[in-house]
């Protein structure tokens, strides 16, 4: 098996680029040091390698099935779930007195990266559960917390988020599931939910659904939506199970990839007996859910990055060992074939993958660090910056991770197209990511239509400050050459943003938002280029700090990948900026009956 | 079921853009007129819709399997094969006295387009057979023709091309399969072939393999390769079957998509009893095979275009009928949701698909017309131009067809990711096309390293003449606006090509070819833009020739798609040209141990 992550790369990112050790100066993390971080990461890597990676292909080939009564998953999924829970990873970030490890998000994200690389479909159950437990922990009553959270943290119960419905899709404000108040303060829930990941399985004793619904007579639209805990089995305060609740699996959805995670259609209250418990205040459901959703969006970014990363490592291994063809300047056709990694076009495909996936992982870890700066360090600025870039953290990996997987197949050629090699599964698995938790289009509207302008545009200023800090640290001519290129394109993004902002202020909403997908891609390319510039600068500074040849090679690779991204990918934004600045209306003015 | 092709589009392409009726002025096609063309196309559409489309999904879900003795395909595949053969489509282009219809390639390609849209995996058996029969017809002895060709034309026998081997891949010069001369003039074949499409099945009585092998003591490299007919069953001159030949199925390869077509590993001469018959001269095998291969490359382009086209039509249908969300400038969240086709970002995704797939289909039909101009019209220039653009005809659809399929999934959102909708299969099926019959990278080296400079660069001059003819015909200001944009970018391609040519002349082979993939994409975008310009100009001229609203709408759509491709896609070549002109060595200079 190839490695799950390049260990040198993860160490470099955590300790050089994102200064993980600095976090131990925060009170919440003061018991930690590099040794405890590394020990937790070792544990995660071991469990991921031993209990998750081995059945990644099997979980795809033998997807869960529903016999009309029960869902069946392969036995390895439950074993992996238990290992994950027993290692305390479901509540690694929580307080010591809740059984947690008070682990920084940065380290937790790195631990999660191993699992996403090993088996994204199996670990989805764990991540969904952790997110649902976090939400109850944050907004639930004491009783709700006591009833559900400990059993979710220890792996007896799992969790889901049940938002969309067959006729709703991305437009949550239109959902119709009803909640009817009962005399005892509980609610009866009635409606159908669709695309609910982990909505049923045979892994845990109970499943805690977090369900968006409308309380009877609540207003239309988003302001009428509340959030409910709806367990599969009614649950006593001590966590023991009562009767089966009226939540029924209407069926499993069969997907192209990510097959190991059940995707379900659930009927709530078919027999009018589905009990639910309101979380927090009525009408605040979307606000609560978006706390979980924002976590989930970063999680989707991480998953997309790591599926891409794994494919990169597989194709790299193949390219190093597959002899075929000769170099372009080799005249002698009787000479020995070279390994395909020596061909310039194969280097291009590997370098692009490297730039995408290592860049995407860096972006997710940056988001994690912002969460720590906010939650443990108290920085409101970090929260504002995180909020601004969340659409990018979700979308760049989701767009470029699959591109990397596409290139991985291409490097393997015909072999890559067969199911004897794992890259075709990665390609299918990763195709989910630009869709769920808000499509690329939805994210682009969120960024350009909303996030940029919140807090009087402070988020963008904060981003520019971070970028300037990097720029000020650059001294070496090789990196200065890259940064001057970068700055030219950064200026393009700034002026384009200004133009679009003015148009929005003047009420030209349709025109300004028409090409929002271009804007998201442009902003993402700039942020990733900045991260590459920072990585290149730090790599440059590391030269000479180690005598080991492989350390030098690793650092040289970082520099070359930065050069690739900034020279090959970043300049594409000039054309995008032109279309955006000109308010090009080619798409907007297309009539539906001209197709 | 959605249509297989937009009928208006195909009519427009055949009769307005590529003047199919003009072909009837050539002697070979003089018995034809628009009525015979349309009647054959109607037949093809009917068979494709009735016998191919219905089992496209079933053939994917129930892929062929090998029980150790025999391969089993679903019954529908054989029925479809028989319908195709009985309609005379396996030899539609051949002489009347051979049972053919003397059909122009242009019309045959259009007929094939229906089948590629309906079920590319099932029709692959037919296309491979037609191509193999064409090769024997062109280069075989009278006896070989008589023995095999009639039975291939009538559907009793199928054909394959058996080129690559487990350790060879794209590098055919390294193949090791041996041919040992026998006293009677035949050869004993010994070796293993891999990725042989249609290499075994239970559809036909016999399978005629065209096998590349080295005659004992032949020189190394490509000049030692010869081509052999190796039937599964030995065959008498009257087409009756003799003994089983020593060709054994070692196993089926299981692919991500295109599952309905068997992909095989074949052992020739395990028991030293595999008989083969030399085609033409010894040492000319690759030359003959490339005749078939060039046909196959255009066929791959067509398949990729049509799988993309079908996905476009599916996603269009979905977008027209799926209500969700509100327009960006809609303030009232209680208003009725719009159909998603009204959202600008969905229009973008549909317009991009339309521009890619209709552009790709136009390109394939252009190639077909060049074949007719050469083969029936005697134009050597057309052959030279076809030769130049073949890498583009293979590669543009193979790169942009899958992009279209990706967008089709995105338009459908979560639904598109499930196997309840057909677009995920199209995405998997189409992923084969950038790989087989020469990968994108191989095609780019062929174009930049070879095709451009053959015949003293005449191919490019001929292309420029065709482009100039289009430019001279443009009069309407709307189209002039597009053409002036186009000309700017065309100049970029010309100057870039010149620079690269000079470098190659000076022996800077590695540097000039290092970024060949960029060059192929650049050249493809210019050619497709030219075709869109031509289509837009002809659409503009058609306005007012029909009073029907839907005709006006169709023409307006053509104009808008041209505008999309030329404004949104074409300008991307400027950045590619810059990297090419600067001989950017980011990829070339990456060391294999820096990854």
């Amino acid at each position: 098996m190839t490695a799950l992550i390049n260990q040198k790369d993860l160490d470099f990112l955590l300790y050089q680029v994102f200064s993980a050790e600095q976090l131990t100066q925060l009170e919440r993390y003061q018991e930690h040091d590099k040794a405890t971080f590394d020990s937790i990461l070792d544990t995660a890597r071991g469990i991921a390698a031993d209990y998750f990676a081995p059945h990644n292909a099997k979980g795809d080939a033998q997807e869960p099935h529903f016999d009309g009564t029960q869902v069946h998953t392969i036995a390895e999924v439950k074993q992996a779930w238990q290992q994950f829970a027993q290692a305390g990873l479901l509540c690694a970030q929580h307080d010591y007195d809740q059984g947690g490890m008070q682990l920084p998000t940065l380290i937790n994200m790195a631990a999660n990266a191993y699992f996403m690389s090993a088996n994204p479909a199996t670990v989805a159950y764990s991540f969904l559960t952790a997110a649902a437990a976090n939400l109850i922990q944050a907004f639930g009553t004491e009783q709700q917390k006591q009833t559900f959270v400990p059993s979710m943290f220890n792996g007896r119960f799992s969790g889901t988020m049940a938002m969309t419905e067959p006729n709703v899709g991305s437009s949550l404000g239109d959902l119709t599931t009803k909640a009817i108040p009962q005399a005892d303060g509980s609610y009866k829930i009635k409606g159908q939910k669709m695309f609910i990941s982990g909505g049923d399985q045979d892994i845990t004793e109970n499943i805690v659904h977090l369900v968006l619904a409308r309380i009877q007579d609540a207003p239309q639209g988003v302001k009428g939506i509340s959030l409910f805990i709806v367990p599969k089995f009614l649950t006593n305060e001590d966590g023991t199970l009562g009767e089966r609740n009226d939540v029924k699996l209407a069926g499993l959805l069969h997907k192209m990839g990510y097959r190991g995670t059940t995707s379900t259609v659930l009927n709530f209250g078919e027999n009018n007996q589905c009990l639910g418990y309101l979380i927090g205040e009525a009408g605040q459901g979307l606000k609560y859910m978006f706390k979980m959703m924002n976590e989930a969006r970063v999680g989707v970014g991480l998953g997309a990055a790591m599926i891409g990363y794994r494919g990169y490592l597989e194709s790299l291994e193949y390219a190093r060992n597959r002899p075929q063809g000769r170099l372009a300047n080799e005249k002698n056709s009787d000479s020995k074939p070279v390994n395909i990694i020596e061909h310039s076009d194969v280097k291009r495909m590997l370098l692009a993958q490297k730039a995408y996936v290592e860049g995407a992982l860096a972006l997710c870890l940056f988001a994690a660090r912002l969460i720590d700066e906010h939650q443990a360090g108290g920085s409101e600025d970090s929260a504002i910056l995180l909020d601004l870039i969340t659409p990018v953290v979700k979308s760049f990996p989701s767009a470029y991770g699959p591109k990397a997987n596409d290139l991985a197949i291409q490097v393997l050629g015909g072999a890559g197209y067969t199911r004897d090699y794992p890259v075709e599964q990665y390609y299918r698995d990763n195709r989910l990511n630009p869709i769920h938790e808000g499509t690329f289009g939805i994210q682009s509207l969120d960024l350009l239509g909303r996030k940029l302008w919140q807090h009087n545009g402070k988020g963008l200023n904060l981003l520019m400050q971070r970028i300037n800090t990097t720029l000020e640290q650059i001294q070496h001519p090789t990196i200065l050459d890259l940064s001057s290129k970068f700055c030219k394109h950064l200026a393009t993004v700034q002026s384009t943003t200004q133009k679009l902002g003015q148009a929005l202020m003047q009420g030209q909403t349709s025109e300004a938002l028409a090409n929002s997908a271009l804007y998201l891609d442009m902003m993402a390319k700039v942020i990733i280029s900045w991260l590459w510039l920072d990585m290149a600068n730090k790599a440059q500074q590391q030269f000479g700090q180690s005598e080991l040849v492989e350390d030098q090679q690793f650092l040289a690779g970082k520099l070359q990948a930065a050069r690739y991204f900034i020279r090959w990918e970043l300049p594409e934004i000039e054309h995008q900026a032109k279309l955006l600045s000109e308010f090009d209306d080619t798409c907007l003015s297309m009539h539906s009956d001209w197709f």
Side-chain angles (χ1 to χ4, degrees), chain A:
Chain A
M1 195 182 83
T2 56
L4 298 176
I5 311 180
N6 175 353
Q7 194 57 43
K8 265 192 215 306
D9 187 29
L10 191 61
D11 285 345
F12 175 76
L13 286 169
L14 289 179
Y15 298 114
Q16 307 302 327
V17 179
F18 297 114
S19 315
E21 282 177 281
Q22 269 185 10
L23 291 171
T24 63
Q25 291 164 17
L26 297 171
E27 194 187 336
R28 181 170 178 80
Y29 305 136
Q30 63 187 354
E31 309 273 312
H32 283 291
D33 54 24
K34 183 166 186 298
T36 63
F37 291 164
D38 284 344
S39 144
I40 291 163
L41 291 171
D42 278 351
T43 303
R45 184 180 52 228
I47 297 173
D50 296 343
Y51 292 92
F52 283 77
H55 72 280
N56 191 28
K58 186 177 174 185
D60 175 69
Q62 299 177 29
E63 68 186 330
H65 70 275
F66 179 43
D67 64 13
T69 311
Q70 218 194 325
V71 172
H72 301 272
T73 61
I74 57 170
E76 290 89 337
V77 178
K78 185 167 184 170
Q79 287 162 19
W81 163 270
Q82 286 169 337
Q83 289 291 326
F84 191 96
Q86 281 164 22
L89 292 168
L90 285 166
C91 57
Q93 293 190 242
H94 286 266
D95 295 354
Y96 293 125
D97 63 15
Q98 284 165 18
M101 307 182 208
Q102 295 193 188
L103 195 64
T105 310
L106 178 62
I107 304 298
N108 198 45
M109 188 80 70
N112 288 348
Y114 284 114
F115 294 98
M116 284 298 202
S117 174
N119 192 329
T122 290
V123 85
Y125 297 105
S126 306
F127 291 165
L128 284 164
T129 301
N134 292 350
L135 192 149
I136 299 174
Q137 186 71 23
F139 303 110
T141 63
E142 280 310 311
Q143 193 188 333
Q144 288 169 344
K145 288 191 231 181
Q146 208 165 332
T147 307
F148 296 105
V149 174
S151 296
M152 294 172 84
F153 282 169
N154 70 23
R156 277 185 64 219
F157 296 179
S158 66
T160 77
M161 45 182 183
M163 298 187 290
T164 199
E165 299 175 5
N167 293 315
V168 170
S170 302
S171 184
L172 286 176
D174 291 323
L175 64 82
T176 62
T177 295
K178 282 199 195 78
I180 302 138
Q182 305 298 302
D184 66 354
S186 70
Y187 291 79
K188 287 218 168 147
I189 309 294
K190 196 170 174 63
Q192 190 178 61
K193 295 286 177 180
M194 191 171 183
F195 295 119
I196 310 311
S197 293
D200 209 348
Q201 31 79 355
D202 57 356
I203 305 164
T204 58
E205 289 177 36
N206 199 3
I207 303 175
V208 182
H209 303 291
L210 299 182
V211 179
L212 290 178
R214 260 173 225 295
I215 297 173
Q216 217 169 16
D217 304 324
Q220 282 199 295
V222 295
K223 55 194 176 297
I225 298 175
S226 303
L227 183 62
F228 299 86
I229 298 174
V230 184
K232 179 173 171 181
F233 287 93
L234 300 180
T235 311
N236 305 310
E237 216 167 314
D238 63 356
T240 56
L241 299 188
E243 276 176 46
R244 185 76 158 78
N245 201 359
D246 183 13
V247 181
K248 206 182 146 193
L249 179 65
L252 294 181
L253 296 160
H254 297 99
K255 307 186 294 298
M256 172 165 67
Y258 241 105
R259 294 187 178 192
T261 313
T262 53
S263 182
T264 60
V265 181
L266 295 176
N267 290 340
F268 294 90
E270 260 186 3
N271 303 308
N272 298 316
Q273 296 299 326
C274 180
L275 277 184
Y277 313 103
L278 180 67
I279 296 186
E281 287 174 47
Q284 300 291 309
L286 264 193
K287 199 182 90 184
Y288 304 146
M289 189 58 101
F290 263 85
K291 185 193 150 51
M292 182 166 169
M293 178 67 104
N294 280 327
E295 264 183 62
R297 285 178 171 174
V298 178
V300 169
L302 182 70
M306 295 317 300
I307 300 172
Y309 203 118
R310 189 83 190 281
Y312 163 58
L313 294 181
E314 288 287 344
S315 66
L316 178 58
E317 178 83 5
Y318 186 89
R320 283 198 201 287
N321 294 295
R322 168 79 175 173
Q324 198 186 113
R326 284 145 198 94
L327 296 185
N329 59 356
E330 173 64 72
K331 303 278 183 247
N332 178 9
S333 66
D334 296 345
S335 61
K336 229 181 107 200
V338 298
N339 287 326
I340 62 171
I341 197 171
E342 302 298 336
H343 296 300
S344 186
D345 194 53
V346 174
K347 289 184 192 179
R348 172 185 68 82
M349 294 191 281
L350 292 170
L351 200 47
Q353 287 182 71
K354 181 179 168 74
Y356 298 158
V357 303
E358 292 179 9
L361 175 57
L363 176 66
C364 296
L365 294 176
F366 174 58
R369 204 187 195 291
L370 290 176
I371 295 171
D372 289 329
E373 290 171 10
H374 169 56
Q375 291 183 355
S379 163
E380 282 310 313
D381 281 359
S382 296
I384 290 170
L385 179 51
L386 175 65
D387 216 35
L388 173 72
I389 69 166
T390 295
V392 175
V393 179
K394 197 271 170 181
S395 300
F396 176 82
S398 298
Y400 288 80
K403 275 194 196 191
N405 290 128
D406 180 60
L407 291 168
I409 292 179
Q410 196 68 14
V411 169
L412 271 75
Y417 193 65
T418 69
R419 278 128 65 197
D420 293 330
Y421 288 83
V423 289
E424 66 86 25
Q425 182 189 343
Y426 304 159
Y427 181 71
R428 288 184 290 108
D429 285 351
N430 221 347
R431 186 60 189 81
L432 174 61
N433 287 315
I435 298 172
H436 67 160
E437 317 308 349
T439 62
F440 194 90
I442 294 284
Q443 300 294 335
S444 74
L445 288 171
D446 186 38
L447 176 63
L448 183 57
R450 185 163 40 196
K451 291 288 170 67
L452 274 170
W453 323 112
Q454 287 173 343
H455 312 284
N456 289 317
K458 191 172 179 191
L460 193 57
N461 289 337
L462 291 167
L463 178 64
M464 291 303 159
Q465 283 171 27
R466 299 258 178 170
I467 291 173
N468 284 329
T469 302
T470 297
L471 293 174
E472 283 159 15
Q473 288 166 354
I474 295 172
Q475 291 176 338
H476 194 282
T478 306
I479 316 297
L480 283 171
D481 184 48
L482 285 180
S483 71
S484 78
K485 250 191 155 6
F486 168 79
C487 288
K488 204 191 90 193
H489 298 300
L490 182 65
T492 301
V493 173
Q494 286 176 303
S495 63
T496 307
T497 305
Q498 218 166 16
K499 262 198 184 157
L500 291 165
Q502 281 162 2
L504 283 169
M505 291 246 299
Q506 288 159 15
Q508 298 171 281
T509 317
S510 304
E511 294 78 3
L513 297 182
N515 304 324
S516 59
L518 291 181
Y519 186 87
L520 175 54
D521 189 57
M522 178 177 79
M523 179 60 91
K525 284 215 182 90
V526 161
I527 291 177
I528 296 293
S529 295
W530 159 56
L531 290 169
W532 269 115
L533 200 57
D534 193 44
M535 285 191 272
N537 193 43
K538 282 165 178 156
Q540 185 67 53
Q541 291 165 356
Q542 293 279 306
F543 270 119
Q545 303 216 357
S546 159
E547 306 262 300
L548 288 175
V549 173
E550 64 250 42
D551 287 340
Q552 306 288 325
Q553 290 170 339
F554 169 77
L555 297 170
K558 281 284 174 196
L559 288 174
Q560 197 79 352
R563 189 176 156 203
Y564 171 82
F565 201 85
I566 291 169
R567 288 184 65 90
W568 281 59
E569 302 277 335
L570 179 60
E572 291 176 355
I573 73 164
E574 295 299 324
H575 170 51
Q576 296 173 322
K578 188 157 181 288
L579 290 170
L580 284 161
S581 305
E582 289 172 353
F583 298 92
D584 183 282
D585 71 346
T586 307
C587 300
L588 188 65
S589 66
M590 178 73 182
H591 288 210
S592 60
D593 47 19
W594 292 356
F595 282 107

